Amino acid sequence: MPSRDQIHYFGAGPAPLPTPVLEKAAGALLNYQDTGIGICEISHRSAQANQVLADAKSALTQLLDVPDTYDILFLQGGGTGEFSAVVYNLVSIWVEKRRRRALEDLTIALADGKEPGSKEDLNAKVLQRLKAEVDKELKLDYLVTGSWSQKASQEAARLVGADKVNVAVDAKARNGGKFGIIPPESEWSLTPRKREGGPGSALIYFCDNETVDGVEFPSFPTSITGHAEDDVDDDAPLIVADMSSNFISRKVDVKKYAVIFGGAQKNVGNAGITIVIVRKSLLPPTAALASPEVLRAVGLPIGPIVFDWATIAKNDSLYNTLPIFDVWIAGQVMAGLLEKFGSKKIQGQEEISRQKANLIYGALDKYPNVYHVVPDESVRSRMNICFRVHGGDADKEKQFLAGAEKLGLSGLKGHRSVGGIRASNYNAVSVEGAKKLATYLEEYANNK
């Protein structure tokens, strides 16, 4: 039986965890902080659980320099759950803004005699105008650059209707039916804002790193702008990023986003929790949400309460029973990065991630007759390195995987939807592991 240090696991998720964290977890599962019970057994309402949450929030805040104008939430449902939560929460905010605007306009019009009817008719008139605006003007922009952003856009269409979802980028259509590029921003078809003569979009959504397809945005897109804290343009879209598979792997300017979310099971911890960083101005009391009655009246869905960010924030992520062990693991991982990199914080991890990716891509590029990297070089993911062996020859790819397993290089099989090989270069993959994979790539190519 191989020992843990003999295996280098490149699986796409759940991903490897730092061995020191797992060793500490083994003790915590049996007896947490000398309480005589394990961490999975403590109440999520206990003082210990509250401290676990506080520590995890503090570590993430320090790592990413999260401003105090943002809240950090821990939920369940994975990144996929947030596909729905984004729509439920941000559409509700958009609707309530429009309702209040309609109420103000029609109240003035009635008082001035410019609008026929009585004050008793006001609510009906407001809802009538609001429904017309929802039908004609509600738009959600999605940048579809891989399988996960595609699924997110499909979920939005399922919830609010395909007519309200604008796929502003369809990378698959632009690339012969396969993901692997991000079209130039000049080709994006974002919904024009009010000041440009369009309806404006409620949000712009993108997946920062596509796990299945190996595509990563090199940097924040320059052509998308959204609400800043001091932005007086009420029609500016809210920028949402799914960072499930490159979370805490590089520096992020949190202020550019309204919402960042990610499942923990790639770089942060084990499967079971989702982390949401949300601007506080999108939460009560600053923001107002449309009531269930209003949403029903205009034909929009009402979200499950466990996906309601306002409810989760009000209850400090403890509205329902949160898996505290999963939060503790994430907190330990993030605290370990702070201890390791000190003042560099997340930039230290970014440098290592780039070093490991360069080692693997360097070996692949050296043998173009043997290996084909799937995504375009301009958008290659540092986290998920997707390639084919001998043009995707099934037998030779099986041979490649079998040889890797013998050397303790596991988890390299590509996603079932696309096949091929995928080396997931998450934070817990060591530089030694990346070097060993690069060496195997060279040896396989020379002995083919």
Side-chain angles (χ1 to χ4, degrees):
M1 179 183 295
S3 62
R4 183 172 176 83
D5 60 3
Q6 291 176 304
I7 300 297
H8 297 283
Y9 182 59
F10 294 91
L17 287 164
T19 296
V21 171
L22 291 178
E23 290 172 340
K24 192 173 180 181
L29 283 168
L30 289 173
N31 189 347
Y32 182 64
Q33 293 186 343
D34 296 324
T35 59
I37 60 172
I39 189 169
C40 288
E41 300 164 296
I42 65 172
S43 168
H44 65 298
R45 306 289 185 193
S46 65
Q48 293 99 328
N50 277 278
Q51 190 61 52
V52 167
L53 275 166
D55 290 345
K57 281 186 177 183
S58 175
L60 180 55
T61 299
Q62 293 177 69
L63 272 176
L64 293 186
D65 293 318
V66 179
D68 59 9
T69 50
Y70 286 74
D71 205 345
I72 297 170
L73 312 179
F74 296 90
L75 302 92
Q76 296 169 69
T80 304
E82 293 309 301
F83 295 172
S84 310
V86 164
V87 176
Y88 290 135
N89 287 278
L90 298 189
V91 167
S92 180
I93 290 171
W94 185 94
V95 169
E96 181 59 15
K97 280 184 178 179
R98 293 303 186 96
R99 189 196 69 81
R100 293 188 174 199
R101 192 180 302 170
L103 178 62
E104 181 180 349
D105 291 349
L106 289 170
T107 299
I108 294 171
L110 279 170
D112 292 345
K114 296 177 181 177
E115 182 74 25
S118 64
K119 289 185 178 180
E120 288 72 24
D121 299 326
L122 182 60
N123 188 54
K125 287 180 178 292
V126 168
L127 288 177
Q128 183 181 19
R129 171 172 147 175
L130 182 60
K131 188 173 189 316
E133 290 184 357
V134 168
D135 290 343
K136 295 178 182 177
E137 297 187 12
L138 176 59
K139 295 292 179 186
L140 315 180
D141 284 357
Y142 280 76
L143 312 183
V144 176
T145 56
S147 301
W148 291 113
S149 51
Q150 182 178 55
K151 287 185 177 182
S153 71
Q154 291 168 343
E155 174 65 356
R158 189 182 73 86
L159 293 175
V160 299
D163 60 312
K164 295 176 178 58
V165 175
N166 172 43
V167 177
V169 175
D170 187 347
K172 201 172 189 178
R174 177 70 169 69
N175 194 43
K178 294 183 178 180
F179 291 120
I181 65 165
I182 297 177
E185 293 187 38
S186 59
E187 297 180 10
W188 296 5
S189 56
L190 296 165
T191 301
R193 289 167 69 164
K194 283 277 189 180
R195 65 191 184 197
E196 299 165 345
S201 60
L203 61 90
I204 299 174
Y205 180 110
F206 68 101
C207 180
D208 206 37
N209 182 78
E210 291 282 0
T211 320
V212 173
D213 308 285
V215 171
E216 185 176 29
F217 278 85
S219 58
F220 185 85
T222 58
S223 63
I224 64 174
T225 54
H227 281 297
E229 290 299 315
D230 57 352
D231 195 337
V232 296
D233 182 358
D234 236 15
D235 293 303
L238 298 167
I239 308 303
V240 180
D242 174 359
M243 294 189 181
S244 290
S245 53
N246 64 354
F247 207 54
I248 63 167
S249 72
R250 66 179 178 184
K251 192 170 177 61
V252 173
D253 185 355
V254 175
K255 297 188 298 297
K256 290 183 177 180
Y257 304 84
V259 181
I260 295 170
F261 73 85
Q265 68 274 14
K266 311 291 187 179
N267 280 319
V268 192
N270 54 300
I273 56 166
T274 310
I275 301 173
V276 176
I277 304 173
V278 57
R279 193 174 286 146
K280 288 179 181 177
S281 61
L282 300 177
L283 301 169
T286 307
L289 309 176
S291 70
E293 292 76 20
V294 167
L295 291 171
R296 286 193 193 97
V298 298
L300 291 172
I302 302 162
I305 196 143
V306 291
F307 286 162
D308 183 73
W309 295 335
T311 299
I312 303 304
K314 181 180 178 181
N315 289 275
D316 195 22
S317 297
L318 295 172
Y319 177 75
N320 62 325
T321 305
L322 189 69
I324 291 299
F325 175 69
D326 301 337
V327 179
W328 181 84
I329 287 283
Q332 293 296 309
V333 169
M334 292 187 289
L337 292 177
L338 284 170
E339 183 178 352
K340 181 176 182 179
F341 297 116
S343 61
K344 276 191 169 184
K345 294 185 280 193
I346 205 60
Q347 192 171 342
Q349 181 60 54
E350 182 175 359
E351 290 169 3
I352 289 180
S353 296
R354 181 67 62 189
Q355 177 189 359
K356 293 185 295 174
N358 287 343
L359 281 167
I360 298 168
Y361 280 123
L364 292 168
D365 289 339
K366 193 173 178 180
Y367 302 96
N369 293 331
V370 179
Y371 305 117
H372 168 65
V373 178
V374 175
D376 185 78
E377 188 171 357
S378 62
V379 294
R380 287 179 177 179
S381 169
R382 299 163 303 119
M383 296 286 101
N384 306 103
I385 299 167
C386 298
F387 60 98
R388 305 308 298 254
V389 177
H390 290 293
D393 182 286
D395 290 336
K396 289 185 177 179
E397 289 191 335
K398 285 180 182 178
Q399 180 190 61
F400 175 89
L401 291 169
E405 288 281 350
K406 289 179 181 177
L407 295 173
L409 302 168
S410 64
L412 287 165
K413 189 174 182 180
H415 191 272
R416 62 186 182 279
S417 65
V418 295
I421 316 296
R422 174 175 55 176
S424 292
N425 177 37
Y426 296 132
N427 288 358
V429 172
S430 65
V431 174
E432 179 190 355
K435 287 179 177 177
K436 191 169 182 178
L437 176 56
T439 299
Y440 173 61
L441 289 167
E442 296 230 12
E443 291 174 349
Y444 178 88
N446 287 318
N447 296 319
K448 63 185 184 295

